[in-house]
């Protein structure tokens, strides 16, 4: 998960390769430390380039953040869309499909989730507005999914759906944070773990209902 410090920025490295190195290091720095605490100097130092060279490639700190954010946001949205659109009768339930899609999309750059969900973005900035766009788009998909699940269960209260949407976002964030702390866990292992936890929750809650 860690991008090692190297001479990646020395003469002779193709521009496209250097850009990928910079974005990988920047995504991890922003995801781990947040926008406010991340410095251009720290990113440049990790891959052995100078600050002027990094500015030449990506501009200032906000421009670099946006260059990291857009691929992450687009990939997550595409992954969630695809997971929700699957209607194979043999497919896992929608929540598990979405979690599997998130784990797969974030594999190799797990900290990227926190590039999108960063509370330290400057209010009113282009960075904050762009991140809010992606978060709102993901929330809209979550709202659609949770409303459908509750409707299937016979519940139509819009506040129930809103509460479940917020709980879902918190669950995804907690699972990704746990995953970062357990780097040996693959996306497939995480999906199986979530399936077991879901089944256990159903059993526990079902037992609780029966005892009332």
């Amino acid at each position: 998960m860690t991008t090692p410090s190297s001479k990646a920025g020395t003469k002779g490295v193709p521009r496209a390769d250097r850009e990928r190195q910079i974005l990988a290091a920047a995504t991890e720095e922003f995801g781990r430390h947040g926008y406010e605490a991340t410095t251009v100097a720290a990113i440049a130092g990790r891959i052995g380039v100078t600050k002027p060279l990094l500015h030449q490639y990506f501009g200032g700190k906000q421009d670099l953040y946006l260059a990291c954010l857009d691929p992450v946001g687009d990939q997550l949205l595409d992954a969630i869309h695809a997971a929700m659109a699957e209607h194979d009768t043999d497919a896992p339930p929608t929540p598990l499909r979405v979690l599997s899609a998130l784990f797969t999309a974030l594999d190799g750059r797990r900290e990227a989730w926190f590039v999108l969900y960063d509370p330290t973005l400057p209010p009113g900035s282009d960075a904050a507005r762009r991140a809010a766009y992606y978060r709102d788009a993901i929330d809209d998909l979550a709202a659609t999914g949770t409303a459908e699940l509750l409707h299937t269960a016979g519940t139509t209260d819009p506040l129930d759906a809103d509460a479940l949407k917020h709980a879902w976002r918190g669950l995804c964030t907690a699972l990704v944070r746990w995953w970062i702390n357990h780097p040996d866990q693959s996306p497939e292992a995480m999906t199986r773990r979530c399936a077991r936890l879901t089944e256990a929750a159903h059993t526990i809650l079902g037992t609780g209902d029966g005892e009332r």
Side-chain angles (χ1 to χ4, degrees):
M1 296 299 298
T2 301
T3 304
S5 177
S6 68
K7 295 298 184 180
T10 56
K11 185 177 179 180
V13 177
R15 183 183 181 94
D17 291 343
R18 185 173 288 142
E19 287 180 350
R20 283 192 291 269
Q21 292 163 352
I22 292 172
L23 288 176
T27 297
E28 189 169 338
E29 286 290 313
F30 284 126
R32 283 190 173 187
H33 307 296
Y35 183 92
E36 184 176 354
T38 296
T39 66
V40 173
I43 296 168
R46 284 189 56 169
I47 52 177
V49 301
T50 64
K51 284 178 59 178
L53 187 144
L54 195 149
H55 283 298
Q56 176 186 339
Y57 274 60
F58 291 102
K61 177 177 171 179
Q62 180 170 246
D63 296 320
L64 179 57
Y65 169 83
L66 291 171
C68 295
L69 172 68
D70 283 340
V72 171
D74 289 340
Q75 187 173 8
L76 289 175
L77 278 175
D78 288 346
I80 296 170
H81 269 297
M84 292 180 67
E86 186 177 352
H87 297 296
D88 190 332
T89 56
D90 295 328
T94 301
L96 282 179
R97 296 201 309 270
V98 171
L99 287 173
S100 177
L102 290 179
F103 296 141
T104 301
L106 292 170
D107 193 28
R109 53 173 183 174
R110 301 176 188 186
E111 292 84 359
W113 179 265
F114 297 100
V115 175
L116 181 59
Y117 291 94
D118 183 350
T120 73
L121 295 172
S125 66
D126 288 344
R129 284 190 291 269
R130 189 64 175 166
Y133 161 79
Y134 283 116
R135 291 196 301 268
D136 289 346
I138 290 174
D139 277 352
D140 287 345
L141 291 174
T144 299
T146 53
E148 289 176 354
L149 288 174
L150 290 174
H151 181 73
T152 301
T155 300
T156 58
D157 187 332
L159 289 180
D160 284 354
D162 188 60
L164 184 56
K165 178 190 73 176
H166 283 78
W168 174 255
R169 183 202 296 173
L171 174 64
C172 291
T173 298
L175 286 170
V176 173
R177 195 181 301 279
W178 187 90
W179 192 31
I180 289 171
N181 291 327
H182 295 80
D184 59 315
Q185 297 293 296
S186 68
E188 295 78 15
M190 286 297 296
T191 302
R192 291 193 297 270
R193 187 176 307 281
C194 289
R196 293 195 299 272
L197 293 175
T198 299
E199 184 63 28
H202 285 165
T203 300
I204 294 168
L205 293 174
T207 301
D209 289 339
E211 290 177 348
R212 288 190 182 92

